[in-house]
Short mmCIF file of all heavy atoms in Angstrom, two decimals:
data_model
loop_
_atom_site.label_atom_id
_atom_site.label_comp_id
_atom_site.label_asym_id
_atom_site.label_seq_id
_atom_site.Cartn_x
_atom_site.Cartn_y
_atom_site.Cartn_z
N PHE A 131 -12.92 -72.28 -85.59
CA PHE A 131 -13.84 -72.57 -84.48
C PHE A 131 -15.12 -73.19 -84.98
O PHE A 131 -15.93 -73.65 -84.20
CB PHE A 131 -14.15 -71.32 -83.74
CG PHE A 131 -12.98 -70.80 -82.97
CD1 PHE A 131 -12.16 -69.82 -83.52
CD2 PHE A 131 -12.71 -71.32 -81.65
CE1 PHE A 131 -11.01 -69.42 -82.82
CE2 PHE A 131 -11.63 -70.85 -80.91
CZ PHE A 131 -10.80 -69.83 -81.48
N ALA A 145 -8.68 -72.47 -73.72
CA ALA A 145 -7.19 -72.59 -74.05
C ALA A 145 -6.87 -71.92 -75.34
O ALA A 145 -5.94 -71.24 -75.51
CB ALA A 145 -6.82 -74.10 -74.01
N ALA A 146 -7.85 -72.05 -76.35
CA ALA A 146 -7.59 -71.52 -77.66
C ALA A 146 -7.77 -70.06 -77.78
O ALA A 146 -7.16 -69.38 -78.57
CB ALA A 146 -8.54 -72.27 -78.69
N THR A 147 -8.64 -69.51 -76.88
CA THR A 147 -9.00 -68.10 -76.94
C THR A 147 -8.20 -67.11 -76.05
O THR A 147 -8.39 -65.92 -76.03
CB THR A 147 -10.53 -67.89 -76.73
OG1 THR A 147 -10.84 -68.45 -75.49
CG2 THR A 147 -11.29 -68.55 -77.86
N ARG A 148 -7.34 -67.76 -75.22
CA ARG A 148 -6.52 -66.94 -74.30
C ARG A 148 -5.64 -66.05 -75.22
O ARG A 148 -5.16 -66.45 -76.25
CB ARG A 148 -5.61 -67.79 -73.50
CG ARG A 148 -6.35 -68.41 -72.25
CD ARG A 148 -5.26 -68.91 -71.23
NE ARG A 148 -4.21 -69.75 -71.81
CZ ARG A 148 -4.22 -70.99 -71.83
NH1 ARG A 148 -5.17 -71.72 -71.21
NH2 ARG A 148 -3.25 -71.74 -72.33
N PRO A 149 -5.44 -64.76 -74.79
CA PRO A 149 -4.58 -63.85 -75.58
C PRO A 149 -3.22 -64.46 -75.87
O PRO A 149 -2.62 -64.10 -76.92
CB PRO A 149 -4.51 -62.64 -74.74
CG PRO A 149 -5.74 -62.64 -73.86
CD PRO A 149 -6.00 -64.10 -73.59
N ASP A 150 -2.65 -65.36 -75.02
CA ASP A 150 -1.28 -65.81 -75.25
C ASP A 150 -1.30 -67.14 -76.02
O ASP A 150 -0.20 -67.82 -76.19
CB ASP A 150 -0.60 -65.98 -73.99
CG ASP A 150 -1.22 -66.99 -72.97
OD1 ASP A 150 -2.46 -67.36 -73.25
OD2 ASP A 150 -0.67 -67.34 -71.97
N SER A 151 -2.46 -67.64 -76.41
CA SER A 151 -2.46 -68.91 -77.10
C SER A 151 -1.98 -68.80 -78.52
O SER A 151 -2.15 -67.68 -79.19
CB SER A 151 -3.90 -69.57 -77.16
OG SER A 151 -4.72 -68.98 -78.18
N SER A 152 -1.45 -69.80 -79.09
CA SER A 152 -0.84 -69.82 -80.53
C SER A 152 -2.07 -69.48 -81.47
O SER A 152 -1.95 -68.77 -82.52
CB SER A 152 -0.22 -71.05 -80.87
OG SER A 152 0.97 -71.26 -80.01
N VAL A 153 -3.24 -70.13 -81.23
CA VAL A 153 -4.41 -69.92 -82.10
C VAL A 153 -4.78 -68.46 -82.19
O VAL A 153 -4.94 -67.82 -83.26
CB VAL A 153 -5.62 -70.77 -81.61
CG1 VAL A 153 -6.83 -70.47 -82.40
CG2 VAL A 153 -5.24 -72.24 -81.78
N ARG A 154 -4.97 -67.87 -80.99
CA ARG A 154 -5.33 -66.52 -80.96
C ARG A 154 -4.28 -65.57 -81.54
O ARG A 154 -4.65 -64.62 -82.26
CB ARG A 154 -5.61 -66.16 -79.41
CG ARG A 154 -5.88 -64.69 -79.15
CD ARG A 154 -7.28 -64.32 -79.09
NE ARG A 154 -7.38 -62.93 -78.63
CZ ARG A 154 -7.88 -62.58 -77.40
NH1 ARG A 154 -8.35 -63.52 -76.59
NH2 ARG A 154 -7.96 -61.32 -77.04
N LYS A 155 -3.02 -65.76 -81.29
CA LYS A 155 -2.02 -64.93 -81.74
C LYS A 155 -2.01 -64.86 -83.33
O LYS A 155 -1.87 -63.85 -83.93
CB LYS A 155 -0.62 -65.31 -81.21
CG LYS A 155 -0.40 -64.82 -79.71
CD LYS A 155 0.95 -65.27 -79.28
CE LYS A 155 1.24 -64.82 -77.87
NZ LYS A 155 2.63 -65.24 -77.40
N LEU A 156 -2.09 -66.10 -83.88
CA LEU A 156 -2.05 -66.21 -85.29
C LEU A 156 -3.15 -65.41 -85.99
O LEU A 156 -3.05 -64.72 -86.95
CB LEU A 156 -2.13 -67.62 -85.78
CG LEU A 156 -0.88 -68.43 -85.57
CD1 LEU A 156 -1.21 -69.95 -85.69
CD2 LEU A 156 0.18 -68.09 -86.57
N LEU A 157 -4.30 -65.47 -85.39
CA LEU A 157 -5.55 -64.79 -85.95
C LEU A 157 -5.55 -63.32 -85.66
O LEU A 157 -5.92 -62.54 -86.54
CB LEU A 157 -6.83 -65.50 -85.33
CG LEU A 157 -7.00 -66.96 -85.76
CD1 LEU A 157 -8.32 -67.54 -85.16
CD2 LEU A 157 -7.10 -67.13 -87.30
N ASP A 158 -5.23 -62.90 -84.44
CA ASP A 158 -5.16 -61.52 -84.08
C ASP A 158 -4.11 -60.73 -85.02
O ASP A 158 -4.43 -59.62 -85.50
CB ASP A 158 -4.72 -61.28 -82.60
CG ASP A 158 -5.88 -61.39 -81.68
OD1 ASP A 158 -7.07 -61.48 -82.18
OD2 ASP A 158 -5.69 -61.39 -80.45
N GLU A 159 -3.02 -61.30 -85.23
CA GLU A 159 -2.08 -60.73 -86.24
C GLU A 159 -2.57 -60.53 -87.64
O GLU A 159 -2.38 -59.48 -88.26
CB GLU A 159 -0.74 -61.53 -86.28
CG GLU A 159 0.11 -61.55 -85.04
CD GLU A 159 1.20 -62.50 -84.93
OE1 GLU A 159 1.41 -63.18 -85.97
OE2 GLU A 159 1.91 -62.61 -83.89
N ALA A 160 -3.33 -61.51 -88.02
CA ALA A 160 -3.88 -61.40 -89.36
C ALA A 160 -5.05 -60.39 -89.44
O ALA A 160 -5.12 -59.67 -90.46
CB ALA A 160 -4.50 -62.79 -89.86
N ILE A 161 -5.78 -60.26 -88.32
CA ILE A 161 -6.83 -59.29 -88.36
C ILE A 161 -6.31 -57.84 -88.30
O ILE A 161 -6.86 -56.93 -88.95
CB ILE A 161 -7.75 -59.55 -87.08
CG1 ILE A 161 -8.50 -60.83 -87.20
CG2 ILE A 161 -8.77 -58.40 -86.84
CD1 ILE A 161 -9.13 -61.34 -85.87
N LEU A 162 -5.22 -57.66 -87.53
CA LEU A 162 -4.63 -56.39 -87.45
C LEU A 162 -4.24 -55.78 -88.81
O LEU A 162 -4.20 -54.62 -89.06
CB LEU A 162 -3.38 -56.42 -86.54
CG LEU A 162 -2.73 -55.06 -86.20
CD1 LEU A 162 -3.65 -54.14 -85.48
CD2 LEU A 162 -1.53 -55.30 -85.15
N GLU A 163 -3.83 -56.73 -89.73
CA GLU A 163 -3.35 -56.33 -91.08
C GLU A 163 -4.55 -55.77 -91.89
O GLU A 163 -4.30 -55.23 -92.98
CB GLU A 163 -2.77 -57.48 -91.73
CG GLU A 163 -1.38 -57.86 -91.13
CD GLU A 163 -0.79 -59.12 -91.83
OE1 GLU A 163 -1.40 -59.65 -92.82
OE2 GLU A 163 0.25 -59.57 -91.37
N PRO A 168 -8.00 -56.01 -82.93
CA PRO A 168 -8.78 -56.61 -82.00
C PRO A 168 -8.49 -56.17 -80.56
O PRO A 168 -7.24 -56.16 -80.16
CB PRO A 168 -8.35 -58.10 -82.18
CG PRO A 168 -7.66 -58.13 -83.47
CD PRO A 168 -6.99 -56.76 -83.66
N TRP A 171 -11.73 -60.52 -77.20
CA TRP A 171 -12.73 -61.62 -77.75
C TRP A 171 -13.84 -61.75 -76.73
O TRP A 171 -13.65 -61.67 -75.60
CB TRP A 171 -11.94 -62.94 -77.95
CG TRP A 171 -11.06 -62.98 -79.12
CD1 TRP A 171 -10.35 -61.90 -79.71
CD2 TRP A 171 -10.79 -64.04 -80.02
NE1 TRP A 171 -9.63 -62.26 -80.74
CE2 TRP A 171 -9.82 -63.54 -80.95
CE3 TRP A 171 -11.16 -65.41 -80.00
CZ2 TRP A 171 -9.36 -64.44 -82.03
CZ3 TRP A 171 -10.69 -66.21 -80.99
CH2 TRP A 171 -9.83 -65.77 -81.99
N LEU A 345 -2.08 -70.35 -93.53
CA LEU A 345 -2.49 -69.89 -92.13
C LEU A 345 -3.40 -70.87 -91.57
O LEU A 345 -3.28 -71.20 -90.29
CB LEU A 345 -3.09 -68.54 -92.29
CG LEU A 345 -3.57 -67.89 -90.91
CD1 LEU A 345 -2.33 -67.80 -89.91
CD2 LEU A 345 -4.24 -66.58 -91.15
N VAL A 349 -2.96 -72.72 -87.95
CA VAL A 349 -4.06 -72.65 -86.87
C VAL A 349 -4.60 -73.99 -86.43
O VAL A 349 -4.73 -74.28 -85.23
CB VAL A 349 -5.23 -71.75 -87.37
CG1 VAL A 349 -6.36 -71.72 -86.38
CG2 VAL A 349 -4.73 -70.32 -87.55
N ALA A 352 -2.01 -75.62 -84.34
CA ALA A 352 -1.96 -74.99 -82.99
C ALA A 352 -3.11 -75.47 -82.14
O ALA A 352 -2.99 -75.78 -80.94
CB ALA A 352 -2.00 -73.44 -83.14
#
Side-chain angles (χ1 to χ4, degrees):
F131 290 93
T147 56
R148 285 198 308 262
D150 62 347
S151 83
S152 297
V153 173
R154 170 94 172 252
K155 284 182 176 179
L156 286 165
L157 296 179
D158 275 353
E159 287 170 5
I161 295 167
L162 186 57
E163 292 177 4
W171 286 33
L345 179 58
V349 172

